[in-house]
C-alpha cells in the first residue's frame, strides 16, 4: 500500500534522504536522486537566517524540479519567527515543510531550538500549530526519542503533533543526550507505529547502513519507511541497493571503481556549478574519502584531492584513480 503525505504519493515503503547540515545540498541530492531515493530534504535552515535574509540561509532554499518530492526543513526557537520563516520557505515552492525537533548539537539545542523543544512539549505543539497554519503545504516533523533516557516522551509528541496537523513523523532512535553515540533503539518507534491513535506515516531513522539492516528493521519495527543519512555520504548507491533487494530479493553488486569515479565527478561538477569554483572545490573535499572508502593505498590520492585547487588537475587525478584500480575492482567487489 502506498505511503502518502498529503497528496504526495511515495509508493510502498519509501526510502528518504535525511537532512544533513553541510551535506544535503543540491549537488549531493543530485547523486542521491540518480540512485533512486524516494524523497529528500534540504539541509536544515535557520528561521532567524531566513528572516534576516542571510545569504547562506537563502541559498539553502534552492530546489530543482528533478528533486521532487522535496521538503524544506527549518528550525528555530521563537514561534513567531518560525511562522514567518515558513511563509518565506513556502515561496520557494517545495512539496512539503519539515520542522527539525531533533538536532542535538550545542549551538542549536542549547539555544532553544532542535532537540531542545523535547523539554517543552507545550511550546513544541504551539510552534508546530503555527507552522501548519502558515503554509498550504503538508507539514512533517523530525525528532528524537526524548531529551535523555529519563524523558523519552516521543509518544506524547507523536499524538499531540498529529492533533495539530502534521502529516508524517520521522523519529531518530536516540535521545538528545546520546548525540550520535551508541546504538539507535527503534523499539519505541515500533510502539508509536502500533499506537491506534497515531494515523500518520512513521519513518525510522538511525544506523541503517546496509541492505540487511533495512530489510530486517522494516519487518521488526513495522515502520512506513526508512530515512537514511550518514550511510549515504559517499555511497548514494545504498538507496538503489535496498530498493532492488526489496523488489527482487537479490543483492546487487556494489559500484565498480568506474562508477565510483563517475558519480564522484558528477558530484564535483555539480558542486562547482552551484557554489562556484572556489567554494565548490573546497566543500567537495569532505566527500572524497567516503567515495573511495575501502580502496587500499588510497591515501596519496586522497591527499592530492584535498589539496588541489585546479579543476582540470582534479579531473586528471580522478582519471588516474579509475585507470589504476579498474583491473583490481572491475565490478564493485570492494563494497
Amino acid at each position: 500500500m502506498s505511503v502518502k503525505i498529503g497528496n504526495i504519493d511515495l509508493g510502498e515503503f519509501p526510502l528518504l534522504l535525511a537532512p544533513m547540515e553541510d551535506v544535503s545540498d543540491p549537488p549531493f541530492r543530485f547523486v542521491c536522486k540518480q540512485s533512486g531515493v524516494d524523497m529528500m530534504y534540504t539541509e536544515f535552515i535557520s528561521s532567524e537566517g531566513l528572516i534576516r535574509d542571510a545569504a547562506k540561509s537563502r541559498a539553502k532554499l534552492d530546489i530543482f524540479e528533478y528533486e521532487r518530492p522535496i521538503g524544506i526543513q527549518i528550525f528555530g526557537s521563537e514561534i513567531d519567527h518560525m511562522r514567518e520563516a515558513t511563509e518565506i520557505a513556502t515561496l520557494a515552492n517545495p512539496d512539503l515543510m519539515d520542522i527539525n525537533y531533533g538536532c542535538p548539537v550545542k549551538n542549536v539545542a542549547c539555544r532553544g531550538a532542535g532537540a531542545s523543544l523535547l523539554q517543552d512539549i507545550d511550546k513544541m505543539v504551539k510552534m508546530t500549530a503555527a507552522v501548519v497554519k502558515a503554509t498550504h503545504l503538508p507539514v512533517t516533523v523530525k525528532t528524537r526519542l526524548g531529551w535523555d533516557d529519563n524523558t523519552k516522551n516521543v509518544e506524547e509528541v507523536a499524538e499531540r503533533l498529529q492533533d495539530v496537523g502534521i502529516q508524517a513523523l520521522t523519529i531518530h532512535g536516540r535521545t538528545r543526550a546520546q548525540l550520535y553515540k551508541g546504538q539507535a533503539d527503534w523499539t519505541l518507534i515500533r510502539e508509536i507505529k502500533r499506537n491506534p491513535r497515531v494515523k500518520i506515516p512513521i519513518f525510522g531513522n538511525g544506523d541503517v547502513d546496509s541492505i540487511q539492516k533495512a530489510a530486517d528493521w522494516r519487518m521488526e519495527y513495522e515502520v512506513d519507511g526508512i530515512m537514511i543519512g550518514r550511510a549515504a555520504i559517499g555511497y548514494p548507491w545504498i538507496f538503489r541497493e535496498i530498493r532492488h533487494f526489496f523488489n527482487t530479493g537479490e543483492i546487487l553488486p556494489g559500484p565498480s571503481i568506474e562508477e565510483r569515479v563517475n558519480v564522484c565527478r558528477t558530484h564535483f561538477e555539480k558542486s562547482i556549478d552551484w557554489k562556484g569554483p572556489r567554494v565548490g572545490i573546497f566543500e567537495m573535499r569532505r566527500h572524497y574519502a567516503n567515495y573511495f572508502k575501502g580502496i587500499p593505498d588510497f591515501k596519496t590520492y586522497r591527499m592530492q584531492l584535498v589539496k588541489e585547487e585546479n579543476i582540470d588537475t582534479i579531473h586528471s587525478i580522478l582519471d588516474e584513480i579509475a585507470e589504476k584500480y579498474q583491473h583490481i575492482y572491475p565490478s564493485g567487489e570492494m563494497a
Side-chain angles (χ1 to χ4, degrees):
M1 192 166 64
S2 284
V3 174
K4 292 186 177 181
I5 300 175
N7 293 323
I8 305 167
D9 189 335
L10 297 176
E12 184 181 357
F13 203 81
L15 303 175
L16 286 59
L17 175 66
M20 294 177 283
E21 176 70 352
D22 293 328
V23 175
S24 302
D25 57 15
F28 180 71
R29 298 199 303 262
F30 181 88
V31 297
C32 288
K33 190 68 176 181
Q34 287 189 314
S35 288
V37 66
D38 294 302
M39 189 168 75
M40 304 187 291
Y41 295 85
T42 63
E43 302 171 76
F44 71 174
I45 306 175
S46 163
S47 58
E48 305 291 336
L50 286 181
I51 293 169
R52 295 196 313 269
D53 202 23
K56 185 175 181 181
S57 295
R58 285 284 181 168
K60 291 179 181 178
L61 291 175
D62 284 358
I63 56 176
F64 301 89
E65 284 301 311
Y66 63 78
E67 297 183 302
R68 298 188 186 281
I70 185 166
I72 290 177
Q73 188 187 74
I74 60 173
F75 72 97
S77 59
E78 300 295 329
I79 293 173
D80 288 343
H81 293 174
M82 286 288 282
R83 181 189 294 111
E84 188 176 346
T86 300
E87 294 170 352
I88 294 168
T90 299
L91 296 176
N93 196 29
D95 297 287
L96 59 87
M97 292 296 306
D98 188 77
I99 309 172
N100 182 309
Y101 292 138
C103 182
V105 300
K106 284 185 177 180
N107 65 355
V108 174
C110 292
R111 294 180 181 177
S116 175
L117 275 301
L118 286 163
Q119 298 178 103
D120 190 345
I121 306 304
D122 289 342
K123 182 178 178 180
M124 179 193 283
V125 171
K126 291 176 184 176
M127 182 178 287
T128 305
V131 169
V132 169
K133 291 175 183 175
T135 183
H136 67 281
L137 298 168
V139 174
T140 62
V141 162
K142 185 170 189 282
T143 190
R144 289 185 168 232
L145 302 179
W147 182 256
D148 56 29
D149 284 340
N150 298 317
T151 56
K152 291 182 179 178
N153 51 8
V154 70
E155 190 155 14
E156 178 188 353
V157 167
E159 291 185 2
R160 294 184 65 183
L161 296 192
Q162 176 184 261
D163 290 346
V164 295
I166 72 165
Q167 298 194 39
L169 177 66
T170 300
I171 305 168
H172 182 100
R174 289 181 173 86
T175 63
R176 188 272 168 179
Q178 285 181 272
L179 301 176
Y180 294 98
K181 299 172 184 176
Q183 292 184 327
D185 178 5
W186 285 37
T187 54
L188 197 51
I189 303 176
R190 180 176 56 207
E191 292 306 306
I192 291 166
K193 184 58 194 170
R194 289 177 174 177
N195 181 344
R197 272 212 64 210
V198 176
K199 308 296 186 184
I200 58 175
I202 301 296
F203 303 123
N205 173 235
D207 291 356
V208 177
D209 55 10
S210 68
I211 297 170
Q212 196 60 55
K213 197 175 285 186
D216 290 348
W217 289 12
R218 176 185 185 178
M219 299 300 293
E220 183 176 356
Y221 297 111
E222 304 167 17
V223 290
D224 295 295
I226 288 174
M227 178 180 282
I228 297 173
R230 289 175 291 172
I233 301 174
Y235 203 85
W237 302 278
I238 192 168
F239 297 107
R240 77 172 186 192
E241 291 176 3
I242 292 172
R243 178 61 62 204
H244 184 80
F245 183 79
F246 285 166
N247 289 341
T248 69
E250 300 172 353
I251 295 178
L252 281 174
S256 66
I257 190 65
E258 180 181 17
E259 188 171 8
R260 286 179 181 252
V261 168
N262 287 343
V263 173
C264 179
R265 193 192 305 276
T266 297
H267 191 167
F268 173 62
E269 291 170 346
K270 292 289 183 182
S271 185
I272 291 169
D273 289 345
W274 188 61
K275 303 172 185 177
R278 187 181 67 83
V279 177
I281 289 170
F282 176 77
E283 294 195 354
M284 187 64 193
R285 291 172 179 172
R286 66 171 64 98
H287 293 283
Y288 293 124
N290 291 301
Y291 273 114
F292 301 108
K293 188 176 181 179
I295 298 181
D297 304 318
F298 190 75
K299 184 177 180 180
T300 300
Y301 286 117
R302 182 176 62 82
M303 295 304 294
Q304 290 177 24
L305 287 167
V306 300
K307 290 180 180 179
E308 186 55 55
E309 297 181 359
N310 182 274
I311 293 173
D312 291 336
T313 305
I314 291 172
H315 279 298
S316 296
I317 295 169
L318 292 173
D319 289 339
E320 188 176 332
I321 292 168
E323 177 67 25
K324 177 175 179 178
Y325 291 101
Q326 66 174 333
H327 301 300
I328 307 174
Y329 301 112
S331 59
E333 289 90 341
M334 63 185 164

